[in-house]
Amino acid sequence: MTATEQQPRPGPLATNGGPQPARTRRRQVSELVDRHIVGVFMTPAVIFVVVMMIVPVAFTIWLSLHSWSGGANSTPTFIGLDNFAQVLTGDPRFWDALRRTFYFTILAVVVETFLGVAIAVLLNREFLGKGLLRTIFLFPMIATPVAIALVWRLMYEPSLGILNDILAAVGLPTSTWVADQSLVIPALALVDVWEWTPLITLITLAGLSALPADPFEAAAIDGAGRWQTLRHITLPMMRPVIVVAVAFRLIDALKTFDIIYVITQGGPGFASETLNLYVYTQSFQYQNLGYSASLLIVFFAIVVGSAVLLLRFRRAGE
Amino acid sequence: MAIAYDPSSAQWSKRARTAGYYLVVALVMLPFLFVFYYMISTSLKQPLAITAPDFQWLFTPTLDNYREVFVANDFLTFTVNSMIVAVGSTAIGLFIGLPAAFVIARYRVPKLALVILSARVTPGITFLIPWFIIFSQLRLIDTYSALIFTHLLQNLPLMIFLMISFFEEIPDELIESAKVDGATTQRTFWSIVLPLAKGGIAASAILGFVFSWNHFMFSIVLSGNDTRTLPVAVFNFMSFGSINWGAITAAATIMSLPVILLTLTVQRHIVKGLAIGAVKG
Amino acid sequence: MSPPNPIRRHRPGVLSAVIVLLLVLTGCGGGESGLSGDTGQASEVTGEFDWKRFDGESLRLVFNQHPWQEAIEPLLPEFEELTGMTVEVESLPEEQFRQRVQVEMTGRSDSLDVFMANVQNEGAKFAANGWYTDLRPLAENPAVTATDYAFDDFSEGVIDGHTFAETLVGIPIQLETQMLFYRTDILQEAGVEVPRTFEELEQVAEAIDDPDGTRAFVSRGAGAAAVTQIATYLFNYGANWTEEGSDTAAFDSPEGVEAIDFYSRMISSYGPQGVVNMSWEEALPLFQQGQVAMYTDASTFMPNILEESTEQVSGNVGFAKMPAGPAGEFQTFNGWALGISPFSPKQNESWYFVQWATSPDVVARLTEEGIAGARESVEFGDAYPEDWVTAFTESLPEARPQLPKVGPVPEVRDAIGTSIVSAIQGEPVEPAVQESAEQFNSIVESAGGG
C-alpha cells in the first residue's frame, strides 16, 4: 500500500467511478438512512408493538373503570374502582381461579424441570440416533396444542380411553381422570408436562454440550463418582441455563389456555378454571366486559410481576 | 463442542452398557411417541374398534375418517384460512422483525428489546378483549387482517429474539470490512448479513408460521364463518349424538402434520437457536 | 460507538398519535346503536305478499345442533326454491353455538341473520342488550307475512313467554318437556313397574342396576347443563328457584337440598362413571347404545332414541312423565325459538325464513318427524309412541319453566351447577347448595346494576 492510495483495494460492495448526479442523490439518501439506521430499522417493529400493545392496554384500563355489558343499547357507565374492589374482596371465584393457576403452573413446571433435566443428563453422550431423538423431541412442542388436547381427552375417557385400560391391565382401580374434581388439575398438568418437558431437555442438552471439559477432567482425576460430578459440577454450572428455561416456561404455563379449554372447559364445575379461563368466561359468556377488564389487569399484573421476580432471581444467582 | 466427561464408562462393560442404555433411551422416548401413535391409529380405526371396551392393538385400518373430514366439512377452506393467516403474519413479521433484530443485535438497544419482550410476556387474553371490542367497532371481525395482526403481535417478539441470537453470531469484523469498503449498513444488511443468517431466518420464519398455525384463542373469537382457522374448526368438530373420535383424531393428525413436517426441515437450526438462547441467557 | 437513539426523539410523536387513535376509537364506542332504524325496514315494505319478493338474496343462519336443526336441514332446499333466496347454515354444538352467537352479537356482526334462541336461558339478557329484533311488527305486516301464517295459532302463554318489555323476541319452533325414558324389557325382566314417584325411581334403579353391565340411571351431571334437568326434581320436592315475587334464591331450602341430594345420589350411585362431564350429548348415546336403562332428559330426543339406537333399545323403549315427589307432581318445559339479529341488514328476508320455518305446513311436517311444534293445532300422528304422546300432552298444560326467571341466567346456571357437581362427587350437599345460593344472589344483585 503506497501513501498516495486513498482506499485499500475495493471490496465487493464498493462503488466505482466518479460521482454522477443521480448517484449522489441516491447515495445521500442512503447515507441519511444509514445515520438513522437504528431508527429506520427499528421503527416499524416498535410502532407496531407499541400500537398493538398500548392501545389495548389503555383501553382495558379505561374499560375496567366502567360497567358495560357489551349490549347494543348500553353504554359503559363509569363506576371508578368498584370493579377492582369486587375482584379483590367480593369474588371468591377469582381467588379460587388464582389458586388453581398457581397450582397447575407450579406442578407442571416443577415436574417438567426435573424430568427435563434428568432426561438431558441421561442423553448427554454421543450415541447412534441422537440427532433423530432430538428431532422427535421437538414434536410434542410443535404439534398443534388443540390436536394434542383432543387426543389426551380421548385418552382420559373413563370407558374409551387407554389410560384406564392400562390401569386395569396392571390391576389398579380405574379413575375418572378429568371428571374428578381433585384429579383434574394434575391430569391437565400431565398433558403440559408431556408437551413441554422436551423443551427443557433440549435447552439443557444444548447447555450441557457447551460446558468446558476441564472441570470434568479434573474431577475424574480426583476420582469423583458420577453422582458427585453431577451434583457438584454439572448442575451448578448449568444453573443459569436451566433457570432461564424454567423462567420462560413458568411465564407461559401461567397463560395456558388451549389444553384446559379443549379438555375440560374449566370443569368439572369450576375445578380446572384457571384465571385465564375465568377472564374468558366473564368476557365472552357473561358479557361482563368492564369487570373482565379489571380481572385482566390483575392477571396481567400477576404475570408481569412473576416475570420481574424471576428476572431478579436470576440476576441474584449470577 | 466439549463432550461431557463420563468417568465411569471405562469401568463398565461397554457392550452391556450400550444395550442397556439404548433400552433406557427407548423407554424415555416411549411416552412421547405413544401419544402420536395413539392419535394416528385411532384416526385409522372404524367406530366400533374405537368404542370397543379393550384397546385394539390390531385392527383393520380404514380411511373413512379422513374421507369424512374432507368431504363432510369445509376442511380445505379452513386449511387455506390457516395458511393465509400464518403466511401473512410470518411474512410481515420477517419484514419488520429482521431489521429490528439486526439493530438490537448490532447496536445493543436493550431498552427497546424490553418493550418487545413485554409483548411476549403479556397474556394473550389481555389483548384479545380490547382488540375484540375495537375490531367489532371497526367491523374487522372475521377478516384476515384482524387475525394476521393479532397473531403477529404474539409472533414478532419470538421471531425477533431468535433472530437476535443468530445475528449476534455473525462476526463484527465481517460487517466492519464491508463498511470499510464503503457500503452502507443497509447494503451490508441485505447483501451480507441476511444470506449468512439464512438458517436462522428460516428457523424463525418456520417457528413463526408454526405458532400462528397452532394459535387457538384469538381465532375462536376473531374469526368467523369466512376466516375460521383449523384449530377452531377441529374443536367445533365434536358432533352431536356421540363424539366422533375417529374423525377428530383424523382432523387432529391432518392439522399437526404440516407443522411437524416444516419443523423437520429446519430442526437443526431451531435446536441451535434454542442452544444459543440458552447459553446466552 | 452506537448512534444516538432516534426513537427517543420520536417517542412523543408516537405517543400522541396513539392517544389520538385511542380517543377516536373510544369516541366511536357508545355512539353506534345497534337498532339503527333496522326495524324501520319492516314498515317500509308494502304491497301484496310475495314469497319471491327477495329473490336472489342470501341469508346466514346459525343453529344449535339439535333435533329440530337436524329435521329442518333437509327441508331447506324447499325454502330456497320457494323464495329464490339461498341460505347458509352454520350449526354448532350447544356450548360453541351459544358462544358464537354472543360473540357475534357483541361484535355487532352484520352477517348473522337468523339464529336459534333458547329464551328461558338467554332471553332476558339478550333482550336487555337489544339483541333481538321485535318480530311483532313483522308478523303484523301483511306485506311480508303470508295470509295463511296463522299467528294466532301460538297460544297467548307461549307468546308471552317470548316477550320481554314489549318486544317479541322470537317465534317458538319447538316445545319440550322433561321425560323419563326407560327400557321396557329390563324393567319387565326385573319384574318392576314404571316408577311413578321418586321413591319408586330409586327402588327400581336399585333393582335393575348392574354395575358390570347396564347401569340403571343416567342424567346430565355437567354443572350448568344439569340445571334444567334438576328443575323437576326441585319442584317435586317442594322447592323453588327463587322466593315468590323476588329474585332471592330459594333452592337452598331444606327441600331444595333434599332434591339436589337425591338427584346426585341417583346419578352417582346408579350411573356410569364420569357423569360430571356429561351433558345430553354424552348421556343420550349411552341410552341409545343400551348402556343405561333409564334416562331423564328432554322429550325432544324421542326421534333420536327411536331412530338411532341399537335395535334392542329402540324396540324396547318406553316414555313416561317425570315421577312425582313428596310435594306433588310438577312438570317442566323448555323450548327453542328463532330470532332475528337486529344488526342484520336483511330484516324482512330473515322474517321470511322465520315465518316459513314456523308456518303451519312446515310445523306439521316437522311434527310428523317427531319434533313437537309450538302451535296449538299440532297433532301427533301414528308414528308417535302412544306413551310419549300421553306423557307430553299431559305434562304441557301445567308445565313450569325449567329455568329461574332472572337476568343473568347463564352465570347463575354455572353457580348452581357447582353444587350439583360437588354433590355428585360426594361432598356435603347442604354447604355446597348454600354457597351456590349465595353466589346466585350476588350475581343477580350485581347484574341489576348493568
Side-chain angles (χ1 to χ4, degrees):
Chain A
M1 204 154 72
T2 66
T4 52
E5 278 192 58
Q6 293 263 330
Q7 303 163 333
R9 57 168 178 77
L13 294 181
T15 58
N16 58 359
Q20 289 153 20
R23 252 221 169 104
T24 317
R25 268 201 298 281
R26 229 182 320 170
R27 192 143 180 120
Q28 281 175 344
V29 170
S30 219
E31 276 170 359
L32 188 72
V33 168
D34 224 47
R35 269 205 296 282
H36 301 279
I37 192 77
V38 174
V40 171
F41 271 17
M42 286 284 309
T43 308
V46 171
I47 287 190
F48 177 77
V49 172
V50 164
V51 170
M52 294 288 287
M53 258 191 72
I54 300 269
V55 171
V57 171
F59 186 61
T60 305
I61 295 177
W62 176 83
L63 195 55
S64 68
L65 302 171
H66 293 68
S67 150
W68 190 32
S69 69
N73 291 339
S74 63
T75 44
T77 354
F78 182 74
I79 56 171
L81 294 173
D82 279 0
N83 279 331
F84 289 100
Q86 170 82 350
V87 172
L88 295 174
T89 58
D91 193 358
R93 197 166 158 188
F94 162 74
W95 291 106
D96 288 337
L98 188 63
R99 186 180 31 91
R100 286 184 212 108
T101 311
F102 278 117
Y103 178 29
F104 170 83
T105 305
I106 294 178
L107 182 63
V109 175
V110 165
V111 175
E112 275 159 27
T113 311
F114 270 106
L115 271 183
V117 172
I119 297 177
V121 167
L122 177 74
L123 295 179
N124 187 31
R125 67 191 69 195
E126 293 310 305
F127 60 90
L128 204 64
K130 184 175 184 179
L132 178 68
L133 215 74
R134 271 212 300 256
T135 310
I136 293 180
F137 252 19
L138 282 176
F139 292 167
M141 316 180 329
I142 295 290
T144 313
V146 172
I148 299 295
L150 286 170
V151 177
W152 273 93
R153 185 166 160 172
L154 176 59
M155 286 178 29
Y156 277 136
E157 272 280 317
S159 38
L160 295 177
I162 185 138
L163 289 179
N164 269 354
D165 288 345
I166 295 178
L167 284 184
V170 293
L172 289 170
T174 58
S175 164
T176 50
W177 302 99
V178 289
D180 184 337
Q181 275 183 318
S182 48
L183 276 185
V184 61
I185 298 254
L188 289 172
L190 180 62
V191 181
D192 196 74
V193 164
W194 179 88
E195 233 186 301
W196 293 106
T197 303
L199 179 70
I200 307 277
T201 303
L202 286 173
I203 292 183
T204 311
L205 262 181
L208 281 172
S209 54
L211 290 179
D214 301 338
F216 293 97
E217 284 166 8
I221 294 174
D222 285 345
R226 283 188 60 210
W227 205 219
Q228 286 173 309
T229 319
L230 189 66
R231 269 188 65 201
H232 298 288
I233 302 184
T234 323
L235 287 182
M237 286 181 73
M238 282 303 300
R239 189 161 174 259
V241 172
I242 298 181
V243 167
V244 168
V246 170
F248 269 111
R249 194 65 216 59
L250 209 74
I251 302 294
D252 277 346
L254 281 172
K255 304 186 278 167
T256 309
F257 181 81
D258 295 11
I259 55 181
I260 304 181
Y261 187 76
V262 170
I263 300 183
T264 61
Q265 284 100 53
F270 299 138
S272 60
E273 190 180 60
T274 55
L275 208 46
N276 211 343
L277 273 133
Y278 180 46
V279 177
Y280 186 83
T281 304
Q282 280 286 353
S283 322
F284 295 113
Q285 266 192 36
Y286 301 159
Q287 312 290 128
N288 291 335
L289 295 173
Y291 187 66
S292 67
S294 58
L295 280 174
L296 269 180
I297 292 181
V298 174
F299 185 37
F300 176 57
I302 291 174
V303 173
V304 170
S306 313
V308 169
L309 273 176
L310 282 166
L311 271 177
R312 290 266 161 80
F313 175 69
R314 186 189 131 211
R315 215 154 274 156
E318 272 169 9
Chain B
M1 226 156 72
I3 303 175
Y5 190 97
D6 185 5
S8 53
S9 62
Q11 298 161 16
W12 293 48
S13 155
K14 213 136 195 242
R15 218 169 256 173
R17 202 159 159 66
T18 313
Y21 180 71
Y22 277 109
L23 189 65
V24 172
V25 168
L27 280 176
V28 163
M29 296 309 298
L30 199 61
F32 295 105
L33 282 176
F34 179 73
V35 174
F36 289 106
Y37 165 73
Y38 192 72
M39 174 169 81
I40 300 177
S41 64
T42 309
S43 70
L44 294 171
K45 285 184 182 171
Q46 288 162 340
L48 284 176
I50 300 176
T51 55
D54 297 313
F55 185 69
Q56 309 276 302
W57 290 99
L58 297 167
F59 57 92
T60 0
T62 165
L63 285 179
D64 280 346
N65 294 319
Y66 287 93
R67 237 179 303 242
E68 180 175 342
V69 163
F70 275 112
V71 166
N73 297 273
D74 239 340
F75 220 68
L76 213 55
T77 314
F78 302 139
T79 314
V80 167
N81 288 340
S82 275
M83 194 73 72
I84 294 179
V85 174
V87 168
S89 63
T90 307
I92 302 181
L94 283 176
F95 188 64
I96 66 177
L98 286 176
F102 176 64
V103 294
I104 294 179
R106 276 282 295 155
Y107 297 104
R108 324 231 179 277
V109 205
K111 291 253 170 65
L112 290 164
L114 216 62
V115 170
I116 297 182
L117 174 67
S118 51
R120 171 92 173 86
V121 167
T122 313
I125 198 160
T126 314
F127 303 127
L128 180 60
I129 288 154
W131 273 127
F132 171 68
I133 299 176
I134 295 174
F135 282 148
S136 326
Q137 308 285 9
L138 296 176
R139 297 244 187 260
L140 282 177
I141 303 279
D142 198 13
T143 57
Y144 290 118
S145 350
L147 288 169
I148 290 179
F149 285 129
T150 45
H151 283 206
L152 185 56
L153 182 63
Q154 302 255 278
N155 267 355
L156 196 60
L158 192 77
M159 290 167 68
I160 290 183
F161 268 109
L162 208 59
M163 280 323 301
I164 293 178
S165 314
F166 282 106
F167 281 143
E168 280 177 349
E169 292 271 297
I170 297 178
D172 282 353
E173 301 86 54
L174 217 57
I175 304 183
E176 288 308 318
S177 70
K179 266 225 166 108
V180 165
D181 286 344
T184 59
T185 323
Q186 257 190 85
R187 292 274 309 269
T188 322
F189 177 66
W190 292 108
S191 323
I192 299 188
V193 174
L194 284 187
L196 276 179
K198 244 185 345 212
I201 294 176
S204 22
I206 288 187
L207 269 182
F209 180 90
V210 166
F211 284 116
S212 173
W213 179 273
N214 286 350
H215 202 91
F216 181 56
M217 179 163 55
F218 286 174
S219 303
I220 317 179
V221 172
L222 297 176
S223 72
N225 224 23
D226 296 328
T227 57
R228 186 164 305 141
T229 55
L230 276 176
V232 184
V234 176
F235 179 60
N236 283 346
F237 218 76
M238 319 267 212
S239 56
F240 135 82
S242 54
I243 299 185
N244 188 346
W245 288 113
I248 291 186
T249 44
T253 311
I254 299 174
M255 181 162 66
S256 313
L257 219 55
V259 288
I260 291 188
L261 288 176
L262 269 178
T263 313
L264 282 176
T265 60
V266 288
Q267 56 99 356
R268 223 175 2 113
H269 297 288
I270 294 178
V271 176
K272 184 172 165 204
L274 285 175
I276 304 175
V279 175
K280 240 188 87 319
Chain C
M1 208 15 200
S2 51
N5 192 342
I7 300 299
R8 282 266 156 67
R9 279 177 298 173
H10 291 150
R11 261 257 160 98
V14 169
L15 198 59
S16 45
V18 165
I19 291 176
V20 170
L21 181 65
L22 190 60
L23 287 173
V24 167
L25 286 173
T26 51
C28 289
E32 264 179 40
S33 161
L35 297 173
S36 47
D38 273 336
T39 43
Q41 276 180 38
S43 49
E44 285 169 25
V45 177
T46 51
E48 285 264 323
F49 175 74
D50 176 17
W51 276 114
K52 287 238 191 291
R53 183 193 287 268
F54 302 108
D55 192 353
E57 289 287 344
S58 68
L59 288 175
R60 177 159 164 260
L61 321 169
V62 176
F63 291 160
N64 168 33
Q65 281 175 359
H66 184 271
W68 178 87
Q69 163 259 337
E70 284 191 335
I72 198 111
E73 273 184 18
L75 301 180
L76 292 177
E78 287 178 30
F79 173 76
E80 293 185 321
E81 220 193 290
L82 174 68
T83 59
M85 292 197 252
T86 44
V87 296
E88 188 198 316
V89 177
E90 199 180 316
S91 52
L92 297 167
E94 192 164 329
E95 189 77 41
Q96 283 96 305
F97 160 78
R98 289 191 200 276
Q99 202 175 75
R100 187 81 235 149
V101 174
Q102 296 215 118
V103 165
E104 297 211 16
M105 285 300 185
T106 312
R108 294 157 196 234
S109 154
D110 57 5
S111 69
L112 173 63
D113 299 307
V114 177
F115 60 99
M116 278 172 70
N118 184 209
V119 160
Q120 269 188 37
N121 188 58
E122 64 256 8
K125 200 162 77 168
F126 272 45
N129 283 344
W131 288 348
Y132 293 116
T133 299
D134 188 358
L135 299 182
R136 205 176 280 274
L138 288 164
E140 290 173 354
N141 180 354
V144 290
T145 307
T147 39
D148 54 357
Y149 182 58
F151 183 66
D152 303 326
D153 198 12
F154 295 103
S155 77
E156 227 183 277
V158 154
I159 294 295
D160 259 354
H162 286 80
T163 308
F164 290 85
E166 315 284 323
T167 307
L168 176 61
V169 302
I171 304 286
I173 47 182
Q174 58 94 235
L175 288 174
E176 50 191 52
T177 62
Q178 194 179 12
M179 266 194 196
L180 171 66
F181 312 124
Y182 62 94
R183 292 277 300 280
T184 51
D185 53 343
I186 295 184
L187 262 60
Q188 207 167 55
E189 218 185 291
V192 288
E193 297 280 318
V194 180
R196 296 297 326 127
T197 66
F198 285 147
E199 224 185 295
E200 284 173 22
L201 184 67
E202 191 162 8
Q203 286 166 355
V204 168
E206 181 92 50
I208 64 176
D209 188 32
D210 178 8
D212 298 315
T214 309
R215 302 307 308 266
F217 182 79
V218 75
S219 191
R220 303 186 200 177
V227 171
T228 47
Q229 302 305 303
I230 66 162
T232 316
Y233 295 79
L234 267 184
F235 300 154
N236 290 356
Y237 266 90
N240 255 314
W241 284 123
T242 52
E243 309 274 353
E244 190 79 37
S246 92
D247 280 347
T248 323
F251 58 89
D252 56 339
S253 62
E255 295 84 14
V257 173
E258 244 192 281
I260 296 178
D261 183 42
F262 175 73
Y263 184 78
S264 43
R265 189 170 73 239
M266 283 298 296
I267 56 182
S268 59
S269 318
Y270 305 107
Q273 281 191 320
V275 76
V276 286
N277 275 347
M278 289 191 192
S279 177
W280 62 265
E281 285 106 333
E282 289 83 22
L284 177 63
L286 289 179
F287 186 81
Q288 290 171 322
Q289 287 157 24
Q291 288 175 32
V292 289
M294 297 192 288
Y295 174 39
T296 60
D297 212 308
S299 58
T300 199
F301 293 125
M302 178 265 293
N304 301 83
I305 291 180
L306 293 178
E307 288 161 28
E308 294 165 13
S309 307
T310 64
E311 261 189 62
Q312 169 145 46
V313 173
S314 53
N316 291 295
V317 63
F319 302 91
K321 286 193 290 182
M322 284 297 293
E329 185 190 311
F330 296 100
Q331 301 294 328
T332 57
F333 79 98
N334 209 326
W336 286 83
L338 282 178
I340 299 179
S341 162
F343 308 117
S344 158
K346 301 176 187 163
Q347 298 288 303
N348 293 309
E349 295 86 331
S350 306
W351 170 244
Y352 265 42
F353 181 81
V354 173
Q355 71 165 300
W356 171 82
T358 54
S359 61
D361 176 49
V362 173
V363 169
R365 286 165 64 192
L366 289 178
T367 308
E368 269 169 46
E369 302 280 332
I371 311 295
R375 286 176 171 274
E376 291 198 311
S377 58
V378 150
E379 271 176 25
F380 298 115
D382 297 325
Y384 278 72
E386 245 187 82
D387 51 356
W388 187 95
V389 176
T390 318
F392 187 73
T393 49
E394 284 181 16
S395 306
L396 205 51
E398 301 279 319
R400 300 165 59 172
Q402 277 177 351
L403 288 170
K405 268 192 149 70
V406 292
V409 173
E411 212 173 327
V412 307
R413 271 180 88 159
D414 274 344
I416 300 170
T418 48
S419 59
I420 301 177
V421 168
S422 298
I424 294 173
Q425 304 219 299
E427 288 172 38
V429 182
E430 197 174 336
V433 175
Q434 269 164 3
E435 211 190 301
S436 288
E438 266 172 49
Q439 280 182 11
F440 180 101
N441 287 330
S442 103
I443 293 169
V444 171
E445 226 183 278
S446 38

